[in-house]
């Protein structure tokens, strides 16, 4: 059983929803980023999404674009991103870590080398937003050989004809994008999200986690109540961008996690 599967089994047994946090690796610098990542589990984070900085983040809003640029300007690399996970694994061997980003850095490193290094570092899953199901042979299917889940995005435009293709090789969980567009824009609505989550869950046994447009404990509770959990990224990254001390960032995360866990 993967760490992701084990986490969802634990949450089901406890009757709780999942809280997933996104942070950009290397933002605002390597040491601060590492301190934040190490503090996330104690703040109530069930699964960590760790962004891979990339020069052309097409699906990201301004907040996460800026975070990626800060990280790159500070010298963050794919190797240093793996190093953050390696360091986390020295103190936490149970919290799942999902790397999220784009295919170019992985392709540049070489798929086989990347998957081997990711497995060794302690990565549990991948979200690669610019690889559609038609390209599963590039990374999704090879990841199976390394016991790394490939998590697919479903969106409001993923209709019933397209959904089986999206779900075909997905594992770990399904990430439902609650709003059309890029990260950090419109607010998510439980009334709109609930029926879509139910539609997806009718087609898969995988947990469905909802992200985009969730910025407060109240919103986390509302969205998690109609799904298996929620993801918050831009709101956390904005705290880092504002130069908040690590303790304040983690306190903010703890409030968000408490909201999701009330659902």
């Amino acid at each position: 059983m993967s760490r992701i599967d084990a986490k969802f089994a634990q949450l089901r047994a406890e009757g709780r929803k999942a809280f997933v946090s996104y942070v950009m690796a290397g933002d605002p610098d390597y040491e601060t980023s590492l301190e934040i990542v190490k503090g996330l589990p104690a703040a109530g984070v069930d699964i960590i999404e760790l962004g891979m900085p990339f020069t052309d983040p097409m699906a990201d809003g301004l907040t996460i674009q800026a975070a990626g640029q800060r990280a790159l300007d500070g010298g963050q690399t794919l190797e240093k991103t793996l190093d953050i996970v390696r360091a986390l694994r020295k103190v936490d061997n149970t919290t799942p870590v999902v790397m999220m980003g784009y295919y170019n850095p992985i392709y540049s490193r070489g798929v086989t080398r990347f998957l081997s290094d990711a497995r060794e570092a302690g990565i549990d899953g991948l979200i690669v937003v610019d690889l559609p199901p038609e390209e599963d042979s590039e990374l999704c299917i090879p990841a199976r050989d390394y016991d790394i889940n490939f998590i697919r995005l479903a969106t409001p435009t993923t209709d019933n004809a397209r959904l089986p293709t999206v779900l075909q090789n997905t594992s770990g969980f399904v990430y439902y994008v609650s709003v059309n567009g890029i990260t950090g824009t419109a607010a998510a609505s439980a009334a709109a999200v609930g029926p879509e989550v139910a539609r997806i869950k009718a087609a898969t046994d995988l947990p469905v986690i909802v992200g985009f447009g969730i910025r407060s404990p109240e919103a986390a509770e509302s969205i998690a109540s109609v799904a298996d959990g929620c993801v918050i990224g831009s709101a956390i990254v904005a705290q880092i961008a504002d130069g908040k001390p690590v303790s304040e960032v983690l306190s903010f995360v703890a409030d968000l996690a408490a909201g999701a866990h009330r659902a």
Side-chain angles (χ1 to χ4, degrees), residues 198-261:
R199 180 172 68 90
I200 296 168
K201 289 181 72 67
T204 180
D205 293 329
L206 292 171
V208 180
I209 304 299
V210 177
F212 286 46
I214 309 168
R215 301 185 183 90
S216 68
E218 295 75 19
E221 180 178 3
S222 176
I223 295 299
S225 71
V226 297
D228 294 302
C230 68
V231 183
I232 298 183
S234 293
I236 298 170
V237 172
Q239 296 281 310
I240 299 169
D242 287 344
K244 298 288 180 65
V246 170
S247 60
E248 289 188 25
V249 173
L250 293 175
S251 178
F252 178 72
V253 171
D255 288 342
L256 297 172
H261 291 150

Side-chain angles (χ1 to χ4, degrees), residues 152-187:
R152 188 80 66 192
L153 304 181
T155 75
T157 60
T158 306
D159 61 20
N160 289 333
R162 178 65 172 169
L163 186 59
T165 302
V166 169
L167 296 174
Q168 184 174 4
N169 292 312
T170 300
S171 59
F173 60 90
V174 179
Y175 186 135
Y176 179 68
V177 176
S178 63
V179 296
N180 287 319
I182 55 176
T183 59
T185 52

Side-chain angles (χ1 to χ4, degrees), residues 27-232:
D27 177 36
D29 56 69
Y30 180 88
E31 293 300 331
T32 305
S33 178
L34 176 57
E35 188 178 354
I36 291 170
V37 169
K38 284 184 173 180
L40 291 174
V45 172
D46 298 302
I47 299 173
I48 298 169
E49 278 186 18
L50 189 60
M52 296 182 283
F54 180 52
T55 53
D56 298 288
M58 68 183 80
D60 295 321
L62 293 178
T63 300
I64 292 179
Q65 284 184 33
Q69 194 59 55
R70 285 192 299 271
L72 292 170
D73 289 346
Q76 188 69 14
T77 63
L78 182 53
E79 184 64 28
K80 287 184 176 180
T81 300
L82 293 170
D83 283 343
I84 287 176
V85 183
R86 293 182 181 108
L88 173 68
R89 288 295 175 229
K90 292 179 180 179
V91 297
D92 182 324
N93 199 38
T94 59
T95 302
V97 177
V98 175
M99 289 182 72
M100 184 173 187
Y102 299 86
Y103 186 47
N104 184 276
I106 296 170
Y107 178 81
S108 296
R109 190 179 186 87
V111 167
T112 300
R113 179 188 174 198
F114 169 77
L115 290 172
S116 177
D117 291 347
R119 179 63 179 172
E120 171 269 326
I123 296 295
D124 303 291
L126 298 171
I127 300 173
V128 182
V129 299
D130 54 348
L131 275 182
E134 287 74 17
E135 305 296 336
D136 274 357
S137 61
E138 287 284 328
L139 183 63
C140 173
I141 292 173
R144 290 176 179 171
D145 294 334
Y146 294 85
D147 296 322
I148 295 175
N149 292 133
F150 198 90
I151 296 147
R152 188 80 66 192
L153 304 181
T155 75
T157 60
T158 306
D159 61 20
N160 289 333
R162 178 65 172 169
L163 186 59
T165 302
V166 169
L167 296 174
Q168 184 174 4
N169 292 312
T170 300
S171 59
F173 60 90
V174 179
Y175 186 135
Y176 179 68
V177 176
S178 63
V179 296
N180 287 319
I182 55 176
T183 59
T185 52
S189 160
V193 166
E196 290 299 294
V197 170
R199 180 172 68 90
I200 296 168
K201 289 181 72 67
T204 180
D205 293 329
L206 292 171
V208 180
I209 304 299
V210 177
F212 286 46
I214 309 168
R215 301 185 183 90
S216 68
E218 295 75 19
E221 180 178 3
S222 176
I223 295 299
S225 71
V226 297
D228 294 302
C230 68
V231 183
I232 298 183

